[in-house]
Amino acid sequence: MSRVAPLNAADHGTLHFDRNAAGATRQIVQLGLSEIAFAAADMPLCLAKDANTGRFDLVALLGLIEPTNLFSFGGHFQATYVPRAALLTGFRLDPNGVAGLAVDAADPTIGANGEALFVDGRPAPLLDQLHQALEQVLADIAAARTLIALYATKRLIRLLTLSVRKADGGDHDIAGLYTIDAAALRSLPDNEILALHRADALAPSTILSASLAQIERLRQLHNARFEAAISSYTIG
């Protein structure tokens, strides 16, 4: 359960930031535009619709059945790339907090291990770094939203159907995800394809589609950790 409060030495003076616990309980994590190529090396990338605004966000899928991050085990994030939003889930921007931050004391990255938030009662240099990192992440996520909004105006987004079959015969559907409509993209006139290329929007769409092959990696990671194995999956 989240316990977000403005960061202050009185309440949080003994807390530490443990990077190794990044995203431990996250099944889905938001991505920024600059992260697409890096995250796709490990994770399937999808789109998810914000329930409040209806806009699409770029996300990485980190788990399949259990609400957990399949890349987080052995005390580390076991992937070549750690999404920056997963690393920073324990913090928020808050002008009322030290270094302009709020902290979620219930987040897995916040606790007794890692880098101290305060040293001798004073803010550690780490806090300014975290503030800057949060600002950069938020700007990058906004850039991703702009790109996805372009895809939406071109009607290049479709619902993604993903169902996994467990070894015991049961099925589990993963709902609420979207992807690039490759058929719609191919049907665009040449001048619109060229415009997408000139806007640096064509290559990301290809990477998003190709990254869905990483669902097989999630299946393998799941089966290595959980007794209820996944025998197969269907995607469409």
Side-chain angles (χ1 to χ4, degrees):
M1 183 176 180
S2 177
R3 300 203 308 270
V4 179
L7 183 65
N8 64 87
D11 296 323
H12 310 121
T14 62
L15 293 180
H16 293 67
F17 172 49
D18 184 3
R19 299 172 187 270
N20 292 327
T25 59
R26 296 284 173 138
Q27 188 176 18
I28 292 177
V29 66
Q30 204 165 350
L31 291 175
L33 179 62
S34 69
E35 299 182 280
I36 290 177
F38 300 107
D42 292 290
M43 307 146 193
L45 310 187
C46 311
L47 309 176
K49 186 177 289 188
D50 187 295
N52 296 318
T53 66
R55 68 189 174 197
F56 290 100
D57 286 322
L58 175 64
V59 300
L61 188 61
L62 306 179
L64 291 173
I65 297 179
E66 284 79 10
T68 190
N69 175 1
L70 292 173
F71 295 95
S72 180
F73 59 93
H76 295 277
F77 198 109
Q78 306 286 357
T80 58
Y81 182 75
V82 181
R84 288 179 296 171
L87 187 64
L88 298 169
T89 53
F91 299 95
R92 311 284 190 277
L93 293 178
D94 187 334
N96 297 313
V98 172
L101 295 173
V103 64
D104 181 358
D107 190 85
T109 62
I110 307 300
N113 300 317
E115 302 169 76
L117 302 186
F118 293 88
V119 178
D120 296 328
R122 297 185 177 185
L126 168 69
L127 296 181
D128 286 334
Q129 298 169 16
L130 290 170
H131 183 106
Q132 183 178 17
L134 276 170
E135 289 185 327
Q136 292 171 345
V137 166
L138 291 174
D140 205 23
I141 286 174
R145 285 175 174 159
T146 298
L147 173 68
I148 303 307
L150 174 61
Y151 294 151
T153 62
K154 299 291 185 181
R155 299 184 182 276
L156 298 178
I157 296 174
R158 66 170 178 84
L159 186 66
L160 177 67
T161 58
L162 176 58
S163 179
V164 298
R165 170 152 291 188
K166 294 180 284 186
D168 62 9
D171 291 331
H172 177 77
D173 296 328
I174 301 172
L177 299 177
Y178 297 79
T179 189
I180 299 298
D181 189 332
L185 182 60
R186 288 194 298 270
S187 70
L188 286 179
D190 290 352
N191 65 310
E192 293 196 36
I193 292 290
L194 180 59
L196 287 173
H197 172 65
R198 292 273 172 83
D200 293 325
L202 192 58
S205 70
T206 302
I207 296 173
L208 292 182
S209 296
S211 74
L212 296 180
Q214 298 288 15
I215 292 172
E216 172 59 21
R217 184 176 185 195
L218 292 185
R219 186 186 74 86
Q220 294 171 1
L221 288 171
H222 175 96
N223 290 352
R225 290 181 59 182
F226 295 102
E227 187 173 341
I230 295 172
S231 58
S232 63
Y233 61 88
T234 59
I235 184 170

